[in-house]
Amino acid sequence: MRMIVKYKIIYEQLKQAILDGTYPEGHLIPGEYQLMRQMDVSRDTIRKAMALLTSSGYIQKIRGKGSMVIAHNNEVPLTNLISFKELGHQQGFKPKTKIVEFKDLIITDKLAKETGFAVDTEVWSISRLRFIDGVPSIIDLDLIRKDLAPDMTKQAIHESLYEYLEGELGLTLAYSENDLTAPLISTKERETLELDATENRIIQIESRVYLNKSEQLQYSIAKHRPDKFAYHEFIRRNNHGL
């Protein structure tokens, strides 16, 4: 099992223990060495899982004591890199994805300015419709560099694009840059998301995703129906003082 898969499994187990009250708010969770013994994994795996719990807003390190469970929200921060499948698991809804279009594309001058990819870069262009509990909720367009995923197929990414990129190809997704806007909705978008005529705008998240060497892998636009969109961000103050 690849490390990136294993630490996410440990993260999910610890997160569930927090959500079900095994580790209640205000209490410390077991230390690294205890968790290593309990779960039979390496220290690096535990540290990665703990770092993800911290960035997701579930725990906070207390100097000299350990990691304490803090007040949390089930919504996923916009700044987290997470797949739609993982999001459904975390928030308790039934996810479904329909791949509308899968093709290869060459980046033009115009696309280069919009996406951040160099001109003439070959990419996979993937259009998907996301359903939350059977309701069409998100229109996704993803461009993935073809040289980093040359053998990608429509079937390979049917369950999860990120599972394929990380689990099958061993790529390490490090961070993303996101822009959140609310543009006017088009007639086609309104029909696709089954919204009524009173809905004039759509929530749009434009993202550029990078590997751990600051190499851009992905450009995406996700268009959310407003009644299925929730934003939550956990922000910790930098207490270095002025």
Side-chain angles (χ1 to χ4, degrees), residues 42 54 56 107 127 185 199 227:
S42 69
T54 301
S56 298
I107 298 296
S127 297
I185 192 170
E199 193 62 71
D227 61 339

Side-chain angles (χ1 to χ4, degrees), residues 4 28 34 62 75 96 101 112 161 181 183 189 191 224 229:
I4 195 160
L28 298 174
Q34 186 176 346
I62 306 298
E75 299 294 341
K96 179 183 176 183
E101 186 175 60
L161 174 61
T181 56
E189 289 166 349
E191 291 174 351
H224 299 247
F229 179 84

Side-chain angles (χ1 to χ4, degrees), residues 77-90:
L78 180 64
T79 49
N80 270 14
L81 266 173
I82 188 168
S83 73
F84 185 64
K85 183 178 179 181
E86 291 169 329
L87 185 63
H89 178 70
Q90 285 192 8

Side-chain angles (χ1 to χ4, degrees), residues 189-205:
E189 289 166 349
R190 184 182 287 109
E191 291 174 351
T192 300
L193 296 177
E194 299 178 2
L195 292 167
D196 61 43
T198 62
E199 193 62 71
N200 295 320
R201 293 192 178 271
I202 197 166
I203 305 298
Q204 177 173 294
I205 301 176

Side-chain angles (χ1 to χ4, degrees), residues 14-29:
L14 292 172
K15 185 193 71 176
Q16 188 56 47
I18 291 171
L19 294 176
D20 66 21
T22 301
Y23 304 136
E25 181 182 333
H27 287 65
L28 298 174
I29 65 173

Side-chain angles (χ1 to χ4, degrees), residues 3-12 52 86 166:
M3 179 67 71
I4 195 160
V5 175
K6 185 174 289 187
Y7 85 76
K8 285 190 175 181
I9 292 173
I10 301 302
Y11 161 77
E12 289 293 339
L52 192 51
E86 291 169 329
E166 294 178 320

Side-chain angles (χ1 to χ4, degrees), residues 146-171:
K146 197 171 179 180
D147 63 318
L148 295 174
D151 300 319
M152 182 187 292
T153 64
K154 182 177 179 179
Q155 291 72 28
I157 63 168
H158 179 72
E159 287 295 321
S160 171
L161 174 61
Y162 280 5
E163 277 187 6
Y164 174 75
L165 294 174
E166 294 178 320
E168 294 296 323
L169 302 187
L171 298 175

Side-chain angles (χ1 to χ4, degrees), residues 53-68:
L53 284 171
T54 301
S55 66
S56 298
Y58 288 102
I59 63 174
Q60 181 175 0
K61 285 189 176 181
I62 306 298
R63 184 175 296 179
K65 293 185 177 180
S67 297
M68 183 178 71

